[in-house]
């Protein structure tokens, strides 16, 4: 998941900017029912000189039950501002 630096509050610390975020992952079936979301808290630091086009990156591994055959919902919550951004992607199971 890539999150734009300009889209979150990043506290300046020394030579970098640090953001505290939560990654939320859920599966959504073809009828719109959603699985219980997994919440993965993380914090990340980028250089203080990071431009607006720079992204925070989070890699995560997770497993979904095979009966979910619709889309995967990936949300990112900025814990400082409570703003949420999300994307729905097809599941290739």
């Amino acid at each position: 998941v890539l999150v734009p630096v300009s889209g979150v509050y990043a506290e300046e610390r020394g030579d970098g900017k640090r953001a505290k975020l939560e990654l939320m992952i859920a599966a959504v079936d073809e009828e719109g029912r959603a699985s219980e979301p997994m919440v993965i808290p993380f914090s990340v630091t980028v250089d203080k000189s990071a431009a607006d086009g720079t992204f925070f990156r989070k890699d995560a591994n997770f497993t979904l039950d095979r009966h979910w055959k619709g889309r995967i919902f990936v949300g990112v919550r900025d814990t400082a501002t409570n703003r949420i951004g999300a994307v729905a992607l097809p599941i290739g199971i």
Side-chain angles (χ1 to χ4, degrees):
V1 174
L2 298 175
V3 180
V5 170
S6 60
V8 299
Y9 171 75
E11 182 181 18
E12 298 211 14
R13 294 203 166 183
D15 290 341
K17 296 178 182 180
R18 183 177 181 89
K20 293 183 180 179
L21 307 167
E22 288 180 341
L23 186 63
M24 297 171 288
I25 302 165
V28 181
D29 68 12
E30 288 141 0
E31 297 175 10
R33 293 179 300 226
S35 69
E36 190 68 31
M38 292 175 259
V39 178
I40 303 169
F42 70 101
S43 56
V44 64
T45 304
V46 295
D47 290 336
K48 202 181 248 187
S49 62
D52 284 344
T54 305
F55 291 89
F56 295 117
R57 177 182 172 143
K58 174 62 178 170
D59 295 318
N61 294 316
F62 55 90
T63 305
L64 293 173
D65 190 304
R66 288 199 175 270
H67 82 274
W68 295 102
K69 296 186 180 188
R71 295 167 291 155
I72 187 167
F73 170 85
V74 180
V76 177
R77 184 174 81 85
D78 182 340
T79 60
T81 64
N82 235 5
R83 286 189 301 184
I84 296 176
V87 64
L89 306 166
I91 297 175
I93 295 178

